[in-house]
Amino acid sequence: TKFTNVIVRRPAKSMVEGITSAPELGKPDYELACKQHDDYIAALKDCGVEVTVLPALEQFPDSCFVEDPAVVTRCGAIITNPGAASRNGEKDEIEPAVRQFFDDSRVKHIVSPGTLDGGDVMMAGDHFYVGRSARTNEEGIRQFFEILEGWGLEGSEVPLEHVLHLKTGVNYLEDGNMLVSGEFVTKPDFEQYHRIEIPEDEAYAANCIWVNGTVIVPEGYPAVLAAVQDAGYETITVDTSEYRKLDGGLSCLSLRF
Ligand code: CIR
């Protein structure tokens, strides 16, 4: 795998009204979130990718989390049907940006009653793991697998018990290395990988991203940083504290392809 392009979207001031399961963490600070977003873009550029920066969308408080309304593979793009009502319209906003990179024949859609959030999709080579979650339903997964098959790719479903999205708890670092936390430590689906286990108190940092040999790690999680470095990766840390307040992390903030 090698990524050439990344799409991000600037956070909106309305992000303070974004969906969260952890209101006790407080509302995000918009100015700080912008600074963190700048740092995120800089880190991505250091990994050698071209970054397309889309403008903020005030009508969608969670729209900086571009990973959810689309899944982009080397074969084509899938515009999803996001499972949260306040986010569903984000799919129409991401589509034109994705179309800049793919011919019409290579852009597919998940349609109602199927729902799917890109955060539930994890690519490991030509295999795609899809979490069945509160956002991603059986019909959405069925449609997704049908599209993959048309491209000669394949997938398997992973039932989720505790986390919002699949990639909240597990992320593939290429080279057979899988970062796993919580319910994913023992799931048979990932037995075949070299699993790097994350301590419970650093579970948030399971959401790291591999970009062309470098792993971007959220700032402030020393055990995870050490484990990723021990696995042989160059690392860059980026503070995502303001996105964490909305259950979002490093992977959620970009489409990488
Ligand atoms: C949401 O609940 O949809 C946003 N507040 C967070 C989305 C995080 N995205 C992701 O894990 N891919």
Side-chain angles (χ1 to χ4, degrees):
T1 304
K2 164 130 177 58
F3 296 126
T4 329
N5 288 293
V6 172
I7 298 176
V8 301
R9 184 181 292 288
R10 297 297 286 170
K13 293 194 184 78
S14 63
M15 75 183 294
V16 296
E17 306 303 334
I19 305 170
T20 182
S21 66
E24 71 278 7
L25 295 178
K27 300 252 185 212
D29 174 331
Y30 167 72
E31 300 296 332
L32 182 53
C34 287
K35 200 232 158 231
Q36 293 176 348
H37 204 258
D38 291 339
D39 294 345
Y40 181 67
I41 292 169
L44 288 165
K45 287 184 175 164
D46 280 349
C47 299
V49 293
E50 190 76 37
V51 183
T52 299
V53 183
L54 305 175
L57 291 173
E58 290 301 335
Q59 66 273 41
F60 296 109
D62 286 295
S63 54
C64 58
F65 301 117
V66 283
E67 176 175 72
D68 295 313
V71 175
V72 186
T73 76
R74 64 179 174 78
C75 299
I78 299 168
I79 306 303
T80 71
N81 192 24
S86 68
R87 301 200 56 191
N88 189 261
E90 292 176 28
K91 63 186 188 221
D92 303 319
E93 306 286 344
I94 201 76
E95 182 160 348
V98 165
R99 282 188 182 277
Q100 301 285 318
F101 298 92
F102 294 93
D103 293 345
D104 288 353
S105 65
R106 296 209 166 253
V107 180
K108 306 286 184 191
H109 296 84
I110 302 295
V111 295
S112 296
T115 63
L116 187 134
D117 274 15
D120 278 319
V121 177
M122 178 174 68
M123 179 177 79
D126 282 345
H127 189 91
F128 290 74
Y129 292 94
V130 185
R132 186 151 156 198
S133 69
R135 303 283 178 85
T136 297
N137 66 18
E138 188 177 6
E139 171 59 13
I141 296 175
R142 192 196 63 73
Q143 292 177 23
F144 186 77
F145 288 166
E146 194 171 87
I147 296 165
L148 288 184
E149 261 167 49
W151 291 337
L153 305 172
E154 50 152 46
S156 57
E157 177 180 325
V158 183
L160 307 186
E161 286 143 57
H162 303 296
V163 292
L164 169 65
H165 286 124
L166 179 67
K167 280 184 287 190
T168 308
V170 54
N171 281 274
Y172 188 50
L173 301 183
E174 302 293 321
D175 320 302
N177 293 317
M178 194 70 85
L179 259 187
V180 289
S181 73
E183 66 190 89
F184 301 100
V185 172
T186 51
K187 278 203 201 298
D189 310 67
F190 307 117
E191 255 167 17
Q192 55 181 296
Y193 296 98
H194 174 246
R195 279 156 296 159
I196 303 172
E197 260 186 63
I198 291 186
E200 221 26 62
D201 60 333
E202 293 195 14
Y204 171 77
N207 193 254
C208 289
I209 51 173
W210 177 97
V211 187
N212 300 341
T214 296
V215 177
I216 307 180
V217 179
E219 197 167 293
Y221 301 88
V224 174
L225 182 65
V228 171
Q229 288 172 342
D230 285 349
Y233 295 102
E234 292 287 328
T235 54
I236 303 178
T237 58
V238 175
D239 194 355
T240 53
S241 63
E242 303 316 291
Y243 301 95
R244 183 186 182 187
K245 293 173 181 173
L246 299 178
D247 304 322
L250 290 165
S251 83
C252 319
L253 288 169
S254 61
L255 288 167
R256 304 164 296 281
F257 54 98

